[in-house]
Amino acid sequence: MTLIAGLDIGTSSVKLAVLTSEGTVIARATASYDTVHGPGGIVEQRPEDWWDAACRALADTGVADRIDALGVTGQMQDLIVVGAGGRSLRPALLYSDTRAGAQHDRLRASIPEWERRTGNHQDLTNVAAKLAWLAEHEPRVLAEATQLFFGAAGYLAWRAGGRATCDVTTASTTGLLDIDARTWLVDAISAAGAPADRFPVLVGAVPGDASAGTVSPTAAAELGVRAGIPVVVAPGDAGSATDGLVGSAPGDAYLYLGTTGWLAGVTAGAPAEPSPIHSLVLPGWNHRLRIGAVQSAGSAAAWARRTFFPRSDFADVEAAVAERVGDLSARPLCLPGLAGERTPVRDGHFRGAFVGVTDATDAVDHYLAVLTGVAMGLRHAAEAMQIRQTRIPAVGGAASSPAWRQILADVFDATIVTGDAEDPGCVSAARAAADAAGLGGGIRPLLGPGAEAEETHPGPARSAYARLLATHRELYPALAGTFHALAGMPPQAPYDE
């Protein structure tokens, strides 16, 4: 029996699944590690902790010595600096580290057409700014670097014995990838003061180019696997999650409802201009993974439950609103951005709002308005991405809400699908390893066509939502000045849409 392992190096833990070449999961394991938070936006982890966690997770499966190939995915947009002897010279600066604000502002002013050339709006979390911060504050670390990595998967695959690589999906999150030249952006590297000769090799620019090499004898002894098995770098976590859930063909899309929410969808080709919708390069380069995120999803719903049903638990609230899900007669429109917004506009000063409250509006209406506001924000993202699927999987903790699933089905006029979506990144990493090593093509997306799933179909309210969508979209520019004034900002023209 051929066994393939998929490792997903997440924000808080390594997740591991071992699958047969036919796609049956025979073992799972997790191993956690610590994150250090500090003043000024510091968010760090030790790369050695990722390695140790991978070793523990493999050992816990009980089948590590039978694995025939290893695929790795994980968190993107990190900065990992390795020195002589393979040791990391400092903790990794994670994607969520925001210490490099001043450096980001300098880079924006010094890199010609930075956002157009990278295909994305850039904020202060980009890796170019992190490199510039390191060059200014810890120049000796950068001078002693023998290798740089920008994702956890690239580091782990290299330490396992492979070459130093960065998959193109991870590279497209860094602010360092020239999407026209299909290589690293020289102007950004120079402006950041980074050593270009220590950058990893890009993989995935052509289909099937994902292999990092084979596991070395030294690494095999630590990991508990056999030396010489292939190690493959799968697309970074957002790409692998999409592939593991629904696939990587144009039109494949899914909804995520956690603390934040997003619609992720695969499109053919790149957008004409950068926008609030993230655009990530997928293997083969011709397709893009586009992600339209709303800042507050599950967090907005939790706020609404606390505010409008303070003495009720989740089940009680669901029971209270079940009969009114399709009744829009007294439901106001809602902008749910409690702490800023990312889609359909990117504006950190945005806040929540209800529009159209009457004396007939009660707690149920307010609560359902919040769920509706999130759903409409995601639908606006779908329109911008030109994703118009009739079947859309939904995952994340908040997708357990029947009321929310029905609202999504009505707002999207699509069947919402839920089911087994455990560890999609691991499934995708194993699939990438199986494909690259020629070990069979039986590993399928968890919620793709034909998967066993629960379906929520659109109801009569879909026509009412269709009439309200354009009105809801107009609220974003209409209220921008109000939110900016509340934040103490001087009057300014609304952002470009």
Side-chain angles (χ1 to χ4, degrees):
M1 182 169 53
T2 301
L3 299 183
I4 303 103
L7 273 169
D8 184 354
I9 308 166
T11 303
S12 59
S13 65
V14 161
K15 297 179 180 179
L16 170 67
V18 180
L19 293 81
T20 69
S21 56
E22 290 75 34
T24 301
V25 177
I26 67 163
R28 297 186 192 273
T30 62
S32 61
Y33 32 77
D34 293 331
T35 302
V36 173
H37 297 267
I42 291 173
V43 187
E44 298 179 341
Q45 288 176 351
R46 295 179 67 251
E48 290 80 7
D49 290 345
W50 302 336
W51 179 262
D52 293 343
C55 293
R56 296 198 310 272
L58 282 161
D60 287 346
T61 66
V63 296
D65 60 345
R66 295 167 48 200
I67 290 170
D68 297 292
L70 177 63
V72 192
T73 183
Q75 51 181 293
M76 306 182 288
Q77 205 174 322
D78 298 341
L79 175 57
I80 303 118
V81 186
V82 173
R87 61 186 181 88
S88 61
L89 297 177
R90 67 171 331 283
L93 282 69
L94 296 199
Y95 61 92
S96 51
D97 191 298
T98 58
R99 75 184 75 181
Q103 291 74 25
H104 168 72
D105 292 340
R106 176 174 65 78
L107 293 178
R108 284 182 65 91
S110 62
I111 303 173
E113 297 186 289
W114 189 20
E115 295 189 338
R116 185 198 64 78
R117 295 170 72 188
T118 57
N120 280 301
H121 288 327
Q122 299 296 336
D123 61 28
L124 53 81
T125 64
N126 69 83
V127 177
K130 293 177 171 69
L131 280 166
W133 183 91
L134 204 62
E136 293 180 25
H137 293 272
E138 299 180 12
R140 289 186 61 184
V141 169
L142 208 54
E144 294 175 9
T146 59
Q147 187 64 59
L148 300 172
F149 294 98
F150 307 131
Y155 166 82
L156 192 138
W158 169 79
R159 183 159 173 181
R163 55 184 174 148
T165 62
C166 181
D167 68 277
V168 292
T169 303
T170 295
S172 63
T173 69
T174 63
L176 292 161
L177 184 68
D178 188 328
I179 61 169
D180 291 330
R182 299 191 177 189
T183 188
W184 296 115
L185 180 58
V186 175
D187 289 356
I189 295 170
S190 176
D197 60 341
R198 288 100 194 250
F199 272 48
V201 175
L202 287 169
V203 295
V206 296
D209 175 31
S211 176
T214 59
V215 176
S216 70
T218 299
E222 296 182 40
L223 293 169
V225 301
R226 291 177 286 117
I229 66 171
V231 57
V232 173
V233 178
D237 54 7
S240 286
T242 303
D243 178 69
L245 284 168
V246 294
S248 297
D252 290 338
Y254 75 95
L255 290 161
Y256 172 79
L257 291 175
T259 301
T260 59
W262 63 74
L263 173 74
V266 180
T267 63
E273 295 291 338
S275 78
I277 309 294
H278 297 288
S279 179
L280 307 183
V281 176
L282 289 176
W285 205 276
N286 296 322
H287 298 159
R288 296 292 189 270
L289 172 63
R290 304 195 68 200
I291 303 173
V294 295
Q295 188 75 10
S296 301
S299 59
W303 170 85
R305 285 194 298 273
R306 292 194 307 270
T307 303
F308 300 112
F309 299 94
R311 296 178 180 83
S312 302
D313 60 19
F314 176 82
D316 290 338
V317 174
E318 285 291 315
V321 305
E323 293 185 1
R324 301 256 302 271
V325 170
D327 180 6
L328 278 66
S329 60
R331 190 182 308 176
L333 293 175
C334 173
L335 297 181
L338 298 176
E341 194 50 273
R342 295 162 67 187
T343 301
V345 298
R346 186 173 295 190
D347 189 337
H349 298 289
F350 239 72
R351 293 297 180 263
F354 293 101
V355 176
V357 177
T358 73
D359 59 2
T361 305
D362 61 11
V364 170
D365 293 310
H366 278 98
Y367 178 73
L368 291 175
V370 172
L371 305 191
T372 302
V374 174
M376 287 186 164
L378 293 168
R379 175 64 188 270
H380 299 321
E383 292 302 310
M385 296 158 62
Q386 297 186 331
I387 296 289
R388 298 184 176 92
Q389 302 301 92
T390 59
R391 178 187 184 277
I392 306 177
V395 299
S400 62
S401 164
W404 216 343
R405 294 199 301 270
Q406 187 61 59
I407 289 171
L408 287 166
D410 293 339
V411 168
F412 276 82
D413 194 13
T415 298
I416 300 300
V417 178
T418 53
D420 176 17
E422 187 173 1
D423 301 333
C426 296
V427 171
S428 178
R431 187 154 75 134
D435 290 345
L439 297 176
I443 301 175
R444 296 283 185 263
L446 294 168
L447 292 177
E452 184 176 337
E454 180 179 353
E455 297 182 345
T456 303
H457 300 282
R462 61 185 174 183
S463 57
Y465 286 118
R467 291 192 298 271
L468 290 172
L469 276 166
T471 302
H472 185 268
R473 180 64 181 85
E474 292 168 359
L475 292 178
Y476 292 89
L479 292 177
T482 300
F483 292 132
H484 293 169
L486 290 172
M489 297 175 62
Q492 62 184 61
Y495 33 73
D496 293 334
E497 295 185 48

